[in-house]
Amino acid sequence: IKDKIYVELPIPHGERFNHFQKLGDIDSALRRSISFEEYVKPEKLIAFLSKVYGSNRFDNLKEITVKGAKYYFILKSDDYYIREDYLSSGEYFIINLFKMIRLKCKLIVIDEIDISLDASAQVNLISELRGFCASDKVNIVFTTHSLALMKTLSDVELNYMENNEGVVTLQNRSYNYVKSILFGFRGWDKYILTEDEVLDDYLTYLIAHDNAPIFFKYKVIYVAGGTNVVSLMNRNVETQFFSSADNVISVLDGDQNKDEARLQYCKNNEMIFFIPFQSIEKQLLLHYRNEGRDGLPEVIYNSVGSESKVGKRLYKSLVSEMSKTKVFSFINDRNKGKVKKFREQLMVFLNAKNS
């Protein structure tokens, strides 16, 4: 099993730094191979390096075999050459990583993979390593503190390791969670756009009230007006000023789903959801008008005007009497089936990981 596992540590402990003496010992064999042109062009390694660094400076890379081991150098004019250990530390690391993959290691563990690599090379490297994992059936585990690199990882690839008073834990976490813990940057993975402050408060309560685990950091934002909410979400599809399109949804009052004129702007859009009532305020008004007010306390409010305006006045009066939490709890307790189904839709969105 040990022969199938490779562990690479950073400077000066990494295995690749133990090869310097070996490379010095084979220098005469290397010069002889150059004189007799006993070398080959390692096309796959050249392609790997070129994609990681976005450069063609490795086109003259050559490979020789000495006592069963492969060594690399860049051949210059007049038989001048640059041995692999004289390349940059990042380039030398990439070459040694390639060697381990080609040795059919099944598990490669790398501490601080981003050391000696610029941000662009870090991003490109991860993309290339995914290809090797698939084609060579290799598993690669690495640590990093690089935000640029972490940003490229999928939701299931990023894990957070923590040592809390001697107890080490490893948990799958979102990018913005790790970013906020390590660097204090505030950010969100998922966005819920909605119509007004009341719906904002209700959704926040509904999602959090039973303390169910939520993988992603999220933010509810009220915009004002259903058409404005959907318009903002649609503009994000093009510009991604919030996030990618699959990380942003709209949640509208249920009456928006029954109005044919309004329905046109949200027709056949799976990123738009509707609460299971016409609105929070109208649902309260419905209960309040039932016999015995369905248990709601009697309050003073102006009952003249449209259903929407009367409902808003009633909501304010009830909140003053009961608190928002109790008002929302009252609505949910009397509409358990519909609320449960709606909440499950929200939780799927907030916990859906990209592989």
Side-chain angles (χ1 to χ4, degrees), residues 297-314:
E298 186 174 4
V299 293
I300 297 173
Y301 68 101
N302 185 347
S303 60
V304 178
S306 66
E307 294 282 289
S308 178
K309 290 181 178 179
V310 172
K312 289 178 179 179
R313 296 185 199 121
L314 174 63

Side-chain angles (χ1 to χ4, degrees), residues 97-281:
L97 179 55
F98 180 83
K99 289 179 181 179
M100 293 306 106
I101 294 171
R102 284 294 176 246
L103 285 175
K104 303 299 181 183
C105 289
K106 292 303 179 184
L107 175 63
I108 298 175
V109 182
I110 307 167
D111 188 29
E112 300 292 358
I113 194 173
D114 52 282
I115 287 180
S116 302
L117 297 174
D118 60 45
S120 176
Q122 293 171 26
V123 171
N124 295 336
L125 174 60
I126 299 307
S127 176
E128 293 304 306
L129 290 183
R130 287 196 187 99
F132 283 122
C133 288
S135 63
D136 293 72
K137 303 296 185 287
V138 61
N139 298 285
I140 301 175
V141 178
F142 59 84
T143 65
T144 182
H145 288 86
S146 167
L147 286 177
L149 191 151
M150 281 188 269
K151 184 69 173 176
T152 70
L153 300 176
S154 71
D155 301 328
V156 297
E157 290 175 331
L158 182 59
N159 293 275
Y160 179 65
M161 180 180 286
E162 185 176 20
N163 186 340
N164 187 6
E165 297 182 355
V167 178
V168 178
T169 58
L170 183 67
Q171 294 179 297
N172 185 210
R173 294 293 192 182
S174 73
Y175 168 75
N176 276 300
Y177 175 90
V178 177
K179 182 175 71 171
S180 63
I181 292 295
L182 290 181
F183 300 100
F185 296 157
R186 193 174 184 183
W188 294 275
D189 302 295
K190 302 276 187 174
Y191 294 84
I192 301 175
L193 309 182
T194 194
E195 295 187 53
D196 54 37
E197 190 172 359
V198 173
L199 202 44
D200 182 336
D201 292 338
Y202 175 70
L203 293 174
T204 301
Y205 164 82
L206 182 64
I207 293 167
H209 86 281
D210 64 353
N211 296 315
I214 297 174
F215 180 76
F216 291 107
K217 296 187 69 178
Y218 69 93
K219 178 69 174 176
V220 182
I221 301 174
Y222 70 87
V223 179
T227 54
N228 291 331
V229 172
V230 176
S231 174
L232 184 62
M233 183 183 71
N234 289 339
R235 279 186 282 138
N236 176 75
V237 173
E238 297 180 5
T239 61
Q240 298 191 6
F241 45 80
F242 284 126
S243 182
S244 58
D246 58 335
N247 289 326
V248 183
I249 63 171
S250 294
V251 175
L252 308 179
D253 284 334
D255 56 12
Q256 301 279 354
N257 201 20
K258 294 180 172 63
D259 188 320
E260 284 298 325
R262 292 173 175 171
L263 191 58
Q264 295 305 312
Y265 67 78
C266 52
K267 192 174 182 180
N268 299 323
N269 193 328
E270 61 182 9
M271 304 306 288
I272 299 177
F273 298 83
F274 300 91
I275 64 171
F277 335 106
Q278 291 189 58
S279 71
I280 300 299
E281 299 93 333

